[in-house]
Amino acid sequence: MKQEFNKICVVGLGYIGLPTAATFAAKGYDVIGLEVSQRVVDTINKGEAHIVEPDLDMLVKGAVNAGRLKAVMVPEPADVFILSVPTPIAPDKNPDSTYIHKAVRTISQVLEKGNLIILESTAPVGSTRTIVSMVSELRKDLNITLDSSEPGDLHFVHCPERVLPGKIITELIENDRIIGGFTPQCAEIAADLYSSIISGEILITDDRTAEMAKLVENAYRDVNIAFANELSVICDEQKINVWSLIKMANRHPRVNILQPGPGVGGHCIAIDPWFIVSASPEKAKLISTARKVNDDKPHYILDKITKAADRFKKPVIACLGLAFKANIDDLRESPAIAIVQRLAEGGNGKIIAVEPFIDSLPESLVEKGISLESFDQALQRADIVVLLVDHKQFKKIDSEQLQQKIVIDTRGIWQ
Ligand code: SAJ
C-alpha cells in the first residue's frame, strides 16, 4: 500500500535520531527533530552535529543548509513520527520506558489521521502495543483499535535501529532492516518509507517479533563477549597469552571468538539483554550469566591495577581511553570510566586520563582529582600505564616509551 509521506518528525536527536533525521533529510524529506536540550537544538540549527561520528557533520550541515532539517523543542504536526529516545535500565535491572512514554504523550497532542508512528528505540517486548494503547487513551477522537486484525486511523511499527557506533551512516543505509507492524498493513506502509533511504533488505514481521529480534541480536553479542572475557581471566590464571590463543583458535573454520576487554559498555549491549532477563528471569540463564561475567570484568581489571599500585608509595597511573569502545567519543556506560573513577576513589595515587576524543573531563572525574592529559605527557609521567580503549591514537607506540613501566593492556593491542 502506497502512502505519501513528506514531513517526518524524529523525536530525540541523539546517536541514532540525528543520523536518521539527517539521512531522511538528505533524501528530500522535510525533517524536524524534536529535542529537549536547548544546546543540542542550537548546535544542530547552526548546521553542526553535537556528537562525533564519521560523515555526520557533513550530512547535518548539508541538510540544515538545504532547509530540510530543523531542530525544535515544541511538537509540530507531521506525517511520520520516529521515536529514538533512550531506554535505560532501572537500578533493579528492569527496563525503564519513561522516555518512550514521555515522547508518546508529547506527540499525541499533534497526531493526525493517517500518521505513521515508528518506535526505533530498543525496547522490551510489548512496547509497541503499549504505545498503541497509550495513544488510544490520549486521543479518543481518533479510531485506534487495540485489535491488531483491524485497521485504525494511525499506523504503528517497531523498526529497531541496528547501526554500529563509528559506522552509523554506512550501516543506516546498508544494513538489512526489520520492520514489525502492529498490523501487516502498518508494516507495509513503513517498509515503503524505509525503502526510500536504505539499500539493505527489508524483513517484515509483527511488532513483538521485531522487538525480540533486536534484543536477541545484542544478547547474542554479549554472550560471545562474555566467553572471551571469561577466557581472559582463565588464561591469566594459567599464564597463557589469551590474545595469541584466540588468534590461533580462530583459525578453525567454525570458531570465531571475540576480543576480551575491560568490560562491556555502551547503551546497548550492556543493557538490552536485561530486558530479556527481566521478562523471563527463570529461563534466561545463559543470558543473565553472560551479563554478570561482563559486569565483573571491570572489577577484575581494577584489582589488577590496585595490586600493581601497591608496589609504589604514590604511583602515577595513566589510564588510556575513557570511551566505551574504540574511536568514538561516547562515554555512556563505559567500563573505562567506572575503572578510573573507582581507582581515584580508592586513593591509589595520581590518576591521569587520556582521551583523544574529548576536550574536557566529565565533572564527576574532575571532582575526584583526575586530570586529562595528552598521550605523550601521560606516558612520560606514568609509573603504571593502563590501556583501556584501543583508540587508533594508542596503537602506534615506541616500545621504549613503555620501558620501566608496569603495563596493563586490557585490549591486547601492544602484544
Ligand atoms: N566489545 C568487546 N569485545 C568485542 C566486541 C566488543 O569487549 O569483541 C565491547 C566494546 O568495547 C564495547 C561493547 O563491547 O564496550 C559494545 O561494543 P560493540 O561494538 O559490540 O557494540 P555497540 O554497543 O557499539 O553496538 C551494538 C551493535 N549490536 C551488535 O553488533 C549485535 C549494533 O549493531 C547495535 O545497533 C547497537 O549495539 C545498538 O544500538 O543496539
Side-chain angles (χ1 to χ4, degrees):
M1 186 200 183
K2 280 258 175 227
Q3 187 146 337
E4 192 72 8
F5 292 126
N6 299 310
K7 186 168 171 186
I8 299 178
C9 171
V10 178
V11 186
L13 292 175
Y15 283 85
I16 303 301
L18 182 58
T20 304
T23 303
F24 274 109
K27 279 284 172 186
Y29 291 92
D30 280 329
V31 182
I32 52 164
L34 188 59
E35 239 303 318
V36 290
S37 157
Q38 183 72 58
R39 180 186 65 85
V40 171
V41 167
D42 294 342
T43 309
I44 292 167
N45 288 339
K46 274 192 276 171
E48 292 164 17
H50 62 291
I51 47 182
V52 176
E53 180 61 37
D55 300 330
L56 182 61
D57 263 331
M58 207 178 57
L59 203 62
V60 171
K61 192 174 178 187
V64 172
N65 287 348
R68 295 242 175 255
L69 173 62
K70 184 179 70 165
V72 298
M73 295 182 88
V74 177
E76 294 175 17
D79 303 313
V80 180
F81 292 84
I82 299 179
L83 310 183
S84 57
V85 293
T87 39
I89 39 165
D92 65 359
K93 310 284 187 208
N94 283 311
D96 172 1
S97 300
T98 317
Y99 295 104
I100 296 184
H101 298 163
K102 202 168 161 232
V104 171
R105 281 193 287 274
T106 305
I107 64 161
S108 276
Q109 307 160 32
V110 294
L111 289 175
E112 290 168 355
K113 191 174 175 186
N115 282 172
L116 169 64
I117 296 108
I118 303 169
L119 175 65
E120 279 212 12
S121 311
T122 307
V125 174
S127 297
T128 308
R129 283 169 197 217
T130 303
I131 294 176
V132 178
S133 61
M134 276 184 79
V135 176
S136 84
E137 277 299 309
L138 291 161
R139 292 296 304 269
K140 296 231 189 277
D141 56 316
L142 293 169
N143 172 29
I144 299 158
T145 161
L146 299 182
D147 178 353
S148 60
S149 62
E150 278 181 38
D153 281 351
L154 302 176
H155 313 291
F156 297 90
V157 299
H158 179 49
C159 180
E161 60 81 13
R162 306 163 101 188
V163 292
L164 193 73
K167 284 169 89 179
I168 290 182
I169 306 299
T170 318
E171 292 208 353
L172 192 64
I173 293 162
E174 293 177 5
N175 285 4
D176 293 343
R177 204 76 200 238
I178 297 174
I179 297 184
F182 178 60
T183 67
Q185 189 205 19
C186 295
E188 245 181 79
I189 290 170
D192 202 36
L193 174 74
Y194 279 96
S195 64
S196 66
I197 61 157
I198 72 164
S199 62
E201 206 178 311
I202 289 176
L203 312 163
I204 290 200
T205 181
D206 62 87
D207 51 340
R208 296 182 79 252
T209 308
E211 286 158 352
M212 190 59 163
K214 172 59 200 257
L215 302 183
V216 162
E217 289 163 16
N218 280 353
Y220 170 84
R221 191 152 170 88
D222 198 42
V223 168
N224 282 280
I225 299 170
F227 183 79
N229 276 334
E230 183 166 294
L231 208 54
S232 70
V233 176
I234 294 170
C235 283
D236 266 0
E237 190 174 71
Q238 301 199 16
K239 306 222 173 335
I240 291 169
N241 182 320
V242 72
W243 317 101
S244 327
L245 173 82
I246 291 176
K247 221 183 234 171
M248 260 179 294
N250 282 351
R251 296 291 287 270
H252 183 288
R254 284 173 296 285
V255 173
N256 186 13
I257 303 169
L258 295 180
Q259 297 300 301
V264 168
H267 197 68
C268 312
I269 308 249
I271 306 230
D272 305 346
W274 288 119
F275 295 3
I276 301 177
V277 177
S278 163
S280 299
E282 299 296 324
K283 306 281 180 233
K285 293 193 191 97
L286 178 63
I287 295 172
S288 99
T289 303
R291 258 314 43 251
K292 287 177 191 128
V293 168
N294 286 333
D295 274 354
D296 278 349
K297 194 69 196 286
H299 302 287
Y300 176 79
I301 299 294
L302 190 64
D303 204 41
K304 251 185 163 176
I305 305 169
T306 313
K307 280 194 183 119
D310 282 347
R311 294 195 226 162
F312 300 83
K313 228 184 181 161
K314 198 172 185 304
V316 176
I317 308 175
C319 296
L320 310 184
L322 294 176
F324 84 83
K325 65 176 195 174
N327 308 322
I328 59 167
D329 70 333
D330 193 343
L331 309 185
R332 292 180 302 172
E333 314 288 334
S334 171
I337 295 265
I339 290 168
V340 170
Q341 215 155 3
R342 292 215 188 98
L343 210 50
E345 283 161 4
N348 290 290
K350 168 70 192 156
I351 317 295
I352 302 172
V354 182
E355 179 44 77
F357 288 88
I358 60 170
D359 299 324
S360 59
L361 280 183
E363 203 43 46
S364 57
L365 298 188
V366 177
E367 278 166 9
K368 296 195 162 61
I370 301 165
S371 56
L372 183 67
E373 297 189 15
S374 73
F375 186 25
D376 281 341
Q377 240 175 341
L379 284 184
Q380 265 170 30
R381 292 183 58 194
D383 300 303
I384 302 171
V385 179
V386 186
L387 187 286
L388 292 169
V389 186
D390 44 339
H391 286 318
K392 55 182 185 289
Q393 289 88 342
F394 301 147
K395 288 199 170 160
K396 271 197 213 126
I397 189 164
D398 186 347
S399 55
E400 272 182 22
Q401 286 182 287
L402 294 177
Q403 260 171 22
Q404 317 290 331
K405 301 189 191 292
I406 295 181
V407 177
I408 299 174
D409 175 3
T410 70
R411 301 274 184 177
I413 67 169
W414 297 327
Q415 300 300 310

